[in-house]
Amino acid sequence: EEGAPGRRGERERSEEGSAERGPGAAFHMFVLMEDLLDKLKLLSYEEEALRRHNMRPLSRHYFALPTNPGEQFFMFCTLAAWLITKAGRPFEQPQEYDDPNAVISNVLSELRSF
């Protein structure tokens, strides 16, 4: 039974961590996604980004729930490329079957140059 206090201490620390974040922490990602969608709509993403690539508008919780990682990644890359271009930097639109590591590296490199 000597190991029991150590396990209890680990459990208490874990419970304290979740208690510090509060009961609404699990829903924070949904709030962030709704804020993101509002901001994208203000930038007319549906007309400027989605129609060009024949894509459907995002749902309120599109990036908050992992439903189709490949599709979500491509949508993220499409939006990132569009936003970089909208900010005045030329950026080549990634293709659906491009190497994900190369695409993310290009996006991050461009964002660092800002």
Side-chain angles (χ1 to χ4, degrees):
E1 297 302 314
E2 289 177 19
R7 284 190 210 120
R8 192 182 91 221
E10 290 172 15
R11 187 181 70 223
E12 287 173 359
R13 280 191 297 272
S14 173
E15 290 171 359
E16 286 173 10
S18 62
E20 288 174 13
R21 294 185 327 178
F27 301 101
H28 183 68
M29 190 57 60
F30 295 98
V31 173
L32 287 176
M33 182 59 210
E34 289 182 18
D35 288 344
L36 170 68
L37 191 56
D38 288 342
K39 291 172 183 176
L40 288 172
K41 285 180 180 180
L42 287 173
L43 293 171
S44 303
Y45 90 105
E46 292 168 325
E47 293 81 22
E48 294 183 24
L50 298 184
R51 284 197 184 141
R52 180 181 304 158
H53 301 289
N54 199 25
M55 300 172 113
R56 295 178 307 175
L58 301 177
S59 69
R60 292 180 329 150
H61 304 130
Y62 185 78
F63 289 116
L65 298 170
T67 54
N68 183 341
E71 177 186 301
Q72 288 172 311
F73 178 76
F74 182 64
M75 178 62 81
F76 168 78
C77 293
T78 299
L79 291 173
W82 172 71
L83 288 168
I84 291 168
T85 303
K86 191 153 181 80
R89 300 282 181 110
F91 192 82
E92 187 176 328
Q93 173 63 42
Q95 301 303 309
E96 192 168 3
Y97 297 105
D98 286 350
D99 176 30
N101 293 319
V103 172
I104 288 298
S105 177
N106 291 340
V107 168
L108 290 175
S109 174
E110 194 63 39
L111 292 177
R112 284 186 193 108
S113 72
F114 277 102

